[in-house]
Amino acid sequence: MDKALVVELEKLIGRDAVVSDTTRLLSYESDALAMYSAPAELVLLPKDTAEAAACMRLLAHYDIPIVPRGAGTGLTGGARPIAGGVVVATSRMRQVFEVHPEDGYARVGAGLVNIDLTHACKSHDLFYAPDPSSQRACTIGGNVANNSGGPHGFKYGSTTQHIMGLVVVTPQGDIIDLSKPKVDPDGVDLVGLFVGSEGTFGLATEVTVKLEPCPELVETLLAVFTGEDGLDRACDAVSEIIAVGLEPSAIEILDSLTIAAVEESSFAAGYPRGASAVLLIEVEGTETEVRGTCDDIEALTRRLGAAEFRRAQDEVERHKLWEGRKGAFGAMGRVAPDLYVADAVVPRTKLREMVRATVAIAERYGLKLATVFHAGDGNLHPNICYDRRDPEETGRVVKAGVEILEACVKAGGSLTGEHGIGLEKLGEIGLLFSEHDLQAMGRVRLAWDPKLRMNPGKTIPLRACVELSDGPRSAESAV
Amino acid sequence: MSKTADHVLQRLEALVGADQVRTLPPWAPSSQETLEIPIAYPRDEGQARELLRLAESDGLHVLPTGAGTKIALEAPRESAHFLIGTEHLCGIIEFEPADGTLTAWAGTPMRELSQLAAEGGRRVTPQLAHTSATLGGAIATAQTGDDRLRYGPLRDQLLGLRALLSAEISSQSGGRLVKNVAGYDLHRAHCGGRGRFGLILEATLRLHPALGAELHIESEVADLQAGIALAKRILASTARPLNVRVVETAQTILRVHLGGREDVVEDELRTMSAICSSFAPAAPLQFGAPVFRACSLRSQAENLAAWSSMIRDGLELETTLVVEPGIASASLIPSAPIARRLVSSQLPNIPQGIDVVLPTEVPTGLSTGVLALQGAVRKALDPKGLFAN
């Protein structure tokens, strides 16, 4: 990196906010997809929009690629560089600028941690609905970039449905202020387009979010399935709950390996160790609504063979049941040192057959599969436990991952429900979209970023343009 | 009809047949009004592509049109040389009730979608007053339905779509799944894009469970502000109505639409009665298309209502004022359709904090940076400049 540029950047945002020493840069060489890594040349930590814009104007002058980054909890390699460039992280932008209880919105810095937003508005009996498993670490800006979901997306939808406005710094360093909360967009829906663009359009520095009123009553349920076909029957129960029109706020499935890992970890939730699958269900609303829906779900799951049905008796038990679910990825560290978290979507009527298909694929490659997923949305997370120090095993993981995605797309599904395409799935995006589709997306990308300096090599392949890409994933490139 | 228009008409007739080109407005076929620009109705996607090829080769601008129920919301027609009607581009492509998704051709009337969904125990939203409105038209005009308070705007229901950007290029984004973040959400631009970014061919909507019970109730209130005050108490309660409206004509009425599990509706009715003892059951009320709709935030509902009331008084037209505090919206519904320009020419200065959604000519106060970016995105979506702006 040009020393003169580093000095200029230090003048703009201070020496402490410019990370250039090799040891500190290591933290930024990958996101939570540790399989792929590449060093950043420099990391910048601007504290606000003005500092970010000043840095990005300078980087534009030097024509340097920029990789936006939140907390680095993403699972597709989207927040790490692929061929040098500068990482601009929002981790110092943790401000809560305003909370408007009557109008149901808040304006916050992009680096605010997801759970801290809900804490900030709790006194107003409001909460922020999207709740990724990483919500204790992931940032609102990162959620915007990936259009993140979470268990309660079943009722409340993904991030895009909760974003009312943004402040975006363009690759040229211009500030686009779209932060005024709007009932409907003025003209082209720039905010709607930006959400889910995975850092390829610009850097979001401020976010105006919609807040939801806290429900009067919340009940958390656990339906336990045992026996060889327990996972099948758990899947059937989910499909049936949706088919009959019951409306819980979250429906999650955890399989036996996940249950065992959770119960042996510090996240132990009291899931029955011998179970082949559990359904973790949450119901919210008025007392009448919650009681009625819970009764209907209990009757339905028992009819479909649930061996046990439990209702959390108090807040402590409720919290514990969810801690187990949210800590499941971490708990899998007990099974193997690394975890490949696949993220595919299938039609909700095909849950049983597609979960079976993923199990069969993992078995064929001799891999250990733990499944925990947002069943209500058809969003599968087949998690392959492996050791990345073993190149041969890593190669099998990559191949199995691709095969799982292909099977899901073939069944009418999608490559990603909440993690994004990033670097990981770039090679498979052609399974979903034609060249024309991708070209249309490419033109929109060029409208935001004419020189393709924002997060190059991610999200969509721009075949007509020069991409700084180390190529889509392959067994050989995984380290 | 000018020579150019005559030429266009002949070219259109040669492409799709004389019987599929009209110069009379479909929304009033028996009227004396003659359109200055013809509408061509392609029978299928192939013909639609041919029409766009014609536009490209002859340097013409086109504008898609649905059933004509929201004519005031279209992009201005003056710059279009011909319209493409989606009447024949209709039918269901995929409907799986248990998946909760419905994919249909853009020209399919919303009425058909609602009926089909209901047969499968599902509900389509938005529920529109004009049930003959097409799926594509509803998306292009980002229609607000009767049930937005409960389910959110149409853009939250739109899971994906496919559009023709030119004769050769069709563009798909999103998909037929309730959750999917692959690729950029270009469908968000088409939603409310007023047909300026392509001809929507097909779209997928998220469906909701059918309501076990529904109930409309109403009560006369002293005036608009008293109605809004009561509406806000309802909105602050635990009830989740489909809508809460204050309707002002000769008298002022507070109307509430409840729906859901039967026991929940009964519960909510008790809550409503505790807030306003004079609520009585009412028949469902259907409103026509607004000539004017303004939005703000909930905290601005009183100002919004007062300002919209002033607009209404200034229009010297017979209109109903409908204020929906829950979605911070006010609409003026005329007793008879009127031209868009009539309203826009009579709008006074817009107070800060209020956004006029319609008509389109009203300046929005966007910054030059935002306008430039919008322009760049518009060019990206309409690379050949075929669609009227």
Side-chain angles (χ1 to χ4, degrees):
Chain A
M1 184 61 61
D2 187 326
K3 282 194 176 170
L5 170 63
V6 175
V7 170
E8 281 188 77
L9 287 165
E10 286 176 347
K11 277 184 195 164
L12 285 176
I13 60 174
R15 289 188 69 176
D16 289 351
V18 178
V19 180
S20 58
D21 71 272
T22 317
T23 313
R24 283 182 72 197
L25 284 174
L26 279 178
S27 317
Y28 298 91
E29 68 176 18
S30 73
D31 56 15
L33 181 68
M35 190 186 283
Y36 304 98
S37 61
E41 292 179 76
L42 201 65
V43 175
L44 305 178
L45 305 166
K47 71 173 188 299
D48 55 24
T49 301
E51 282 197 356
C55 290
M56 287 170 72
R57 271 195 293 277
L58 196 56
L59 294 172
H61 178 73
Y62 282 83
D63 202 22
I64 290 174
I66 296 167
V67 179
R69 185 177 173 108
T73 56
L75 286 154
T76 62
R80 65 101 167 153
I82 56 166
V86 170
V87 170
V88 180
T90 57
S91 43
R92 289 174 69 211
M93 302 180 190
R94 298 187 173 202
Q95 309 88 333
V96 177
F97 299 112
E98 50 182 339
V99 178
H100 283 266
E102 186 178 0
D103 292 324
Y105 76 88
R107 196 166 59 81
V108 303
L112 184 70
V113 171
N114 176 296
I115 194 76
D116 290 343
L117 173 52
T118 283
H119 290 156
C121 46
K122 202 173 179 182
S123 61
H124 301 291
D125 263 345
L126 296 168
F127 74 105
Y128 179 64
D131 59 339
S133 296
S134 58
Q135 71 181 138
R136 288 180 188 283
C138 66
T139 63
I140 297 299
N143 295 169
V144 166
N146 291 310
N147 192 7
S148 304
H152 289 80
F154 180 68
K155 176 180 173 129
Y156 293 100
S158 297
T159 298
T160 191
Q161 292 172 25
H162 302 272
I163 303 302
M164 298 174 78
L166 293 169
V167 174
V168 173
V169 179
T170 69
Q172 297 78 28
D174 297 327
I175 297 170
I176 299 290
D177 188 349
L178 302 160
S179 62
K180 185 183 167 195
K182 295 271 181 186
V183 170
D184 289 308
D186 276 336
V188 183
D189 184 4
L190 295 177
V191 172
L193 280 173
F194 189 92
V195 178
S197 61
E198 302 188 23
T200 60
F201 287 179
L203 176 76
T205 53
E206 294 174 24
V207 188
T208 308
V209 298
K210 187 171 88 173
L211 302 172
E212 300 289 341
C214 292
E216 181 188 334
L217 183 66
V218 181
E219 278 232 27
T220 303
L221 315 171
L222 193 74
V224 181
F225 292 84
T226 54
E228 266 186 25
D229 63 346
L231 183 56
D232 284 348
R233 282 181 288 119
C235 290
D236 291 347
V238 174
S239 296
E240 186 72 6
I241 285 170
I242 293 158
V244 301
L246 291 172
E247 294 186 277
S249 55
I251 316 179
E252 303 283 301
I253 288 183
L254 292 82
D255 75 351
S256 57
L257 187 57
T258 309
I259 292 167
V262 168
E263 290 307 310
E264 283 164 21
S265 74
S266 58
F267 303 108
Y271 304 147
R273 283 175 187 261
S276 40
V278 294
L279 274 183
L280 180 64
I281 301 171
E282 192 141 281
V283 182
E284 302 175 357
T286 60
E287 190 169 343
T288 306
E289 193 174 10
V290 171
R291 300 282 178 246
T293 303
C294 288
D295 289 349
D296 289 348
I297 289 173
E298 179 171 2
L300 186 151
T301 51
R302 285 195 186 282
R303 179 164 55 79
L304 289 173
E308 184 190 341
F309 188 88
R310 201 191 296 169
R311 299 185 189 207
Q313 295 303 302
D314 51 35
E315 273 301 299
V316 175
E317 191 180 354
R318 266 200 63 233
H319 185 69
K320 208 171 160 189
L321 287 171
W322 276 109
E323 281 292 290
R325 165 61 187 89
K326 300 237 168 177
F329 292 164
M332 284 171 203
R334 304 184 73 84
V335 180
D338 293 295
L339 188 68
Y340 170 74
V341 184
D343 170 42
V345 190
V346 298
R348 298 180 291 182
T349 44
K350 294 182 178 171
L351 280 179
R352 173 200 268 247
E353 73 181 83
M354 294 318 300
V355 169
R356 274 191 171 198
T358 61
V359 171
I361 291 167
E363 276 176 6
R364 191 148 31 80
Y365 282 97
L367 296 166
K368 211 173 254 186
L369 185 80
T371 294
V372 48
F373 63 103
H374 310 307
D377 289 320
N379 188 184
L380 306 184
H381 289 321
N383 304 306
I384 304 175
C385 307
Y386 74 107
D387 185 344
R388 76 181 133 134
R389 291 168 299 187
D390 177 348
E392 189 277 329
E393 187 183 33
T394 304
R396 279 186 283 131
V397 171
V398 171
K399 284 179 183 165
V402 171
E403 225 172 281
I404 286 171
L405 290 176
E406 286 172 347
C408 290
V409 171
K410 202 173 169 189
S414 172
L415 297 172
T416 171
E418 56 184 8
H419 298 171
I421 296 293
L423 179 65
E424 181 212 0
K425 296 168 187 164
L426 201 60
E428 284 77 44
I429 198 161
L431 295 173
L432 276 184
F433 298 111
S434 70
E435 277 300 308
H436 280 158
D437 301 334
L438 294 172
Q439 282 167 14
M441 291 179 192
R443 281 194 300 274
V444 173
R445 181 171 180 168
L446 283 162
W448 289 80
D449 179 18
K451 291 193 167 179
L452 297 169
R453 287 189 305 106
M454 289 305 295
N455 219 2
K458 315 281 176 59
T459 314
I460 60 162
L462 292 179
R463 297 189 178 89
C465 309
V466 178
E467 275 278 34
L468 294 168
S469 173
D470 61 358
R473 69 191 192 156
S474 66
E476 291 73 34
S477 68
V479 179
Chain B
M1 189 172 284
S2 70
K3 194 175 176 182
T4 308
D6 198 38
H7 166 77
V8 171
L9 188 61
Q10 285 174 18
R11 297 275 277 153
L12 294 176
E13 288 177 349
L15 268 181
V16 298
D19 60 332
Q20 296 306 320
V21 181
R22 292 182 208 153
T23 52
L24 288 175
W27 53 94
S30 58
S31 79
Q32 297 303 306
E33 183 186 357
T34 302
L35 295 173
E36 289 176 8
I37 42 178
I39 308 179
Y41 293 88
R43 292 175 197 277
D44 53 30
E45 183 180 334
Q47 281 196 343
R49 287 178 184 266
E50 287 306 313
L51 288 167
L52 291 178
R53 202 182 312 282
L54 165 71
E56 193 177 340
S57 65
D58 289 21
L60 305 173
H61 291 128
V62 303
L63 193 62
T65 188
T69 58
K70 298 289 181 293
I71 212 72
L73 310 192
E74 277 183 354
R77 290 177 162 214
E78 294 76 16
S79 54
H81 293 96
F82 68 92
L83 308 183
I84 297 180
T86 58
E87 188 177 292
H88 303 313
L89 302 175
C90 68
I92 305 301
I93 295 170
E94 189 175 283
F95 173 48
E96 176 48 74
D99 269 337
T101 60
L102 198 166
T103 305
W105 288 92
T108 314
M110 292 298 284
R111 176 183 54 243
E112 276 183 35
L113 301 184
S114 291
Q115 281 169 357
L116 183 69
E119 287 164 16
R122 300 281 148 179
R123 177 185 177 89
V124 166
T125 183
Q127 292 278 311
L128 300 179
H130 284 293
T131 56
S132 59
T134 62
L135 172 61
I139 293 167
T141 54
Q143 279 297 285
T144 286
D146 177 73
D147 46 7
R148 177 168 173 163
L149 176 62
R150 166 81 65 87
Y151 300 108
L154 195 155
R155 62 180 179 273
D156 287 354
Q157 324 302 326
L158 181 62
L159 300 174
L161 63 70
R162 189 166 69 91
L164 276 182
L165 309 187
S166 71
E168 292 81 25
I169 306 172
S170 77
S171 157
Q172 180 197 310
S173 69
R176 297 177 185 176
L177 299 153
V178 294
K179 193 176 185 185
N180 179 15
V181 299
Y184 301 141
D185 284 354
L186 302 191
H187 47 284
R188 290 292 294 260
H190 288 284
C191 189
R194 303 174 193 226
R196 294 169 298 171
F197 311 132
L199 172 67
I200 299 171
L201 287 175
E202 60 178 74
T204 302
L205 293 181
R206 179 184 193 128
L207 303 176
H208 298 270
L211 301 171
E214 283 185 75
L215 183 63
H216 296 261
I217 54 175
E218 67 176 29
S219 172
E220 191 172 341
V221 290
D223 55 29
L224 212 49
Q225 300 301 334
I228 291 170
L230 278 174
K232 285 193 165 184
R233 286 182 61 196
I234 292 169
L235 293 166
S237 75
T238 55
R240 282 201 315 137
L242 283 95
N243 72 48
V244 180
R245 287 172 167 147
V246 187
V247 181
E248 191 177 69
T249 46
Q251 46 181 191
T252 308
I253 307 284
L254 174 63
R255 293 187 59 94
V256 183
H257 182 184
L258 304 172
R261 296 172 65 101
E262 203 169 324
D263 51 358
V264 173
V265 172
E266 282 172 17
D267 224 21
E268 291 189 342
L269 183 58
R270 280 190 286 275
T271 304
M272 297 300 114
S273 301
I275 292 169
C276 175
S277 57
S278 56
F279 267 128
L285 200 56
Q286 294 290 347
F287 295 103
V291 287
F292 161 89
R293 180 169 165 254
C295 296
S296 185
L297 295 168
R298 276 189 184 185
S299 58
Q300 296 294 312
E302 291 85 355
N303 294 341
L304 180 68
W307 185 71
S308 302
S309 184
M310 188 183 76
I311 299 294
R312 190 249 334 256
D313 296 345
L315 282 178
E316 295 175 357
L317 284 167
E318 195 181 322
T319 57
T320 300
L321 172 60
V322 180
V323 179
E324 299 181 68
I327 57 170
S329 159
S331 306
L332 290 177
I333 320 282
S335 52
I338 61 167
R340 178 181 59 230
R341 284 207 172 280
L342 183 62
V343 182
S344 61
S345 63
Q346 294 180 45
L347 279 178
N349 290 336
I350 305 163
Q352 199 170 4
I354 291 177
D355 299 318
V356 175
V357 175
L358 305 171
T360 52
E361 295 93 332
V362 176
T364 54
L366 294 173
S367 72
T368 50
V370 172
L371 289 171
L373 186 55
Q374 288 194 344
V377 170
R378 190 174 295 140
K379 274 185 189 164
L381 290 166
D382 180 16
K384 301 198 171 177
L386 296 180
F387 294 88
N389 262 302

